[in-house]
Amino acid sequence: MKRIEIFANRSVQDEVLKGLEETITDFYYTLIPVVNGRGKSEYRLGTAVWPEENFMVISYINDGDAAKAAEIIQGVKEQFPGEGIKIFFLNGEP
């Protein structure tokens, strides 16, 4: 089992979730709709100076679905090359 964490600009939230829900059977997740911080290229703080915000998705998926999730995220990255989109895979076993 893998834990996936996805961080991305809120502008691509629908594409990310739709792609994962349509591709991975029984894709269950927790959505944190507003995530502020600083990435490699810029701040996302939801302020007048740095108005953009990110979202975060956390999910536990079967090992066999990890490649599917990576493929979906890569497709969204290609569709929206200017948006920050990251996926992280962690061991989901205790």
Side-chain angles (χ1 to χ4, degrees):
M1 179 164 283
K2 297 286 184 200
R3 173 183 165 129
I4 61 171
E5 296 179 359
I6 300 167
F7 296 86
N9 189 293
R10 290 182 66 192
S11 64
V12 299
Q13 180 176 318
D14 290 341
E15 288 80 2
V16 168
L17 293 176
K18 181 180 178 187
L20 293 167
E21 289 176 344
E22 289 179 351
T23 304
I24 299 174
T25 304
D26 296 328
F27 181 74
Y28 305 118
Y29 58 90
T30 297
L31 171 67
I32 302 170
V34 178
V35 177
N36 296 323
R38 179 181 178 203
K40 197 175 198 177
S41 62
E42 63 185 54
Y43 293 89
R44 307 270 171 121
L45 301 176
T47 66
V49 176
W50 302 99
E52 294 190 45
E53 295 176 319
N54 285 343
F55 71 96
M56 179 181 180
V57 173
I58 301 169
S59 181
Y60 290 85
I61 60 175
N62 294 322
D63 290 341
D65 289 328
K68 292 178 188 177
E71 186 176 312
I72 292 301
I73 297 306
Q74 184 59 39
V76 176
K77 284 182 177 186
E78 290 171 4
Q79 188 177 358
F80 300 95
E83 302 301 333
I85 306 169
K86 299 290 184 196
I87 185 169
F88 299 93
F89 296 92
L90 297 94
N91 186 2
E93 302 291 332

